[in-house]
Amino acid sequence: MQRKAIVIGATGLVGQHLIKQLSEIYDTLIVIARRPPRYINTSMRFYQVNDFDNLAEVFASVGVDRSTDAFSCLGTTRKQAGSDEAFRKVDHDYNVSFAKLCHDKGVKNFFLLSSMNADKDSRFLYNQVKAETEQSIMALGFEQLVIFRPSLLLGKHKGRPLESISQKAFQLISPLVSESLRLHPISAKRVAIAMAMAAHEVYERSKFRKATVPNTTDIIENKQMLAMTRVKN
């Protein structure tokens, strides 16, 4: 059986690296985005959606089924979105809508990019919404849900000046900081590699599974992603 993957958020900081990684392990890669990703290869099928409110219309023609793994790296910031409501719509509503569409088509495995600080009781909207999104997708009952919670993401990201300042500051002290620290920043590429590695592991486990297993949620924290992607000398 040919392996397929579907991705939203493929033009973002992590997503643009993720599709490169996934193209090496999936026969078909379906990308739904507002604009074409910078990386394109022969296994990729791109579907443009001008407004994610119309996601269901686009989704109906992409050919998702039980052989498809789903990935979401979709996200924004309060500043980029323009209001609390607009931010919640992108980070929660669009992600959950995508997950529901996938679940309805029989998708068994869902991989979600979240945040290390996801917390429904946080005083910060960003952290609250990340936690709400996790919970809403958990409730759908995928056979396997894997949630990734990175710390500060390192990489070029337009429209986030505070993150850029933090990245530059960290680069000066990074040789002195142990990756064992919980708050250690992580490059977007390493997060993408960790997501692809986790998907491959789920696939390998499924080959030896004789029956459907109960719904399982794995949460991969920042420290674990750093360990998974550490280059050994």
Side-chain angles (χ1 to χ4, degrees):
M1 181 183 295
Q2 287 204 335
R3 298 181 65 195
K4 292 190 290 187
I6 184 169
V7 184
I8 61 170
T11 58
L13 188 58
V14 174
Q16 62 186 315
H17 292 287
L18 179 63
I19 58 175
K20 292 182 181 180
Q21 299 296 323
L22 297 184
S23 67
E24 297 180 5
I25 60 176
Y26 287 91
D27 301 294
T28 301
L29 186 59
I30 302 165
V31 174
I32 299 178
R34 290 191 176 94
R35 63 182 186 278
R38 285 181 288 180
Y39 175 81
I40 296 177
N41 72 4
T42 54
S43 68
M44 188 180 298
R45 289 156 45 192
F46 171 66
Y47 295 83
Q48 188 164 16
V49 56
N50 295 320
D51 187 338
F52 269 82
D53 285 331
N54 301 322
L55 180 61
E57 297 175 18
V58 176
F59 196 89
S61 62
V62 301
V64 170
D65 54 32
R66 288 180 60 83
S67 68
T68 310
D69 288 342
F71 297 79
S72 177
C73 296
L74 186 67
T76 186
T77 63
R78 165 63 175 77
K79 183 176 181 180
Q80 286 178 312
S83 68
D84 291 356
E85 295 74 18
F87 167 70
R88 187 180 296 277
K89 189 173 189 179
V90 173
D91 269 53
H92 179 272
D93 297 355
Y94 289 160
N95 271 305
V96 176
S97 175
F98 172 66
K100 286 180 177 177
L101 289 167
C102 290
H103 189 267
D104 290 346
K105 288 290 186 179
V107 170
K108 297 183 293 184
N109 306 318
F110 195 93
F111 302 86
L112 174 68
L113 179 64
S114 184
S115 170
M116 183 178 68
N117 296 315
D119 179 1
K120 65 181 180 60
D121 297 320
S122 173
R123 63 190 181 94
F124 297 107
L125 177 68
Y126 183 88
N127 301 338
Q128 292 173 15
V129 173
K130 290 296 184 184
E132 290 171 10
T133 302
E134 290 182 2
Q135 292 296 322
S136 295
I137 295 178
M138 283 182 196
L140 295 176
F142 284 99
E143 187 172 309
Q144 177 69 68
L145 170 62
V146 186
I147 297 171
F148 301 84
R149 291 178 175 173
S151 179
L152 172 68
L153 291 171
L154 300 177
K156 295 180 180 180
H157 204 158
K158 296 180 180 179
R160 300 191 182 184
L162 291 179
E163 288 189 11
S164 297
I165 294 171
S166 299
Q167 289 185 37
K168 290 178 181 178
F170 175 75
Q171 287 170 358
L172 295 175
I173 63 171
S174 59
L176 307 176
V177 180
S178 170
E179 288 191 354
S180 64
L181 294 178
R182 178 176 178 271
L183 296 176
H184 194 290
I186 184 170
S187 72
K189 183 177 181 179
R190 288 177 73 173
V191 175
I193 292 172
M195 293 179 75
M197 290 174 66
H200 184 66
E201 183 178 337
V202 168
Y203 172 72
E204 289 297 318
R205 289 203 306 261
S206 71
K207 291 194 297 186
F208 300 99
R209 190 181 298 153
K210 295 182 179 179
T212 301
V213 297
N215 302 335
T216 302
T217 298
D218 291 331
I219 296 177
I220 300 184
E221 301 286 359
N222 191 68
K223 184 176 178 180
Q224 186 177 349
M225 282 185 275
L226 287 168
M228 292 167 64
T229 59
R230 187 173 295 130
V231 176
K232 296 181 180 180
N233 296 321

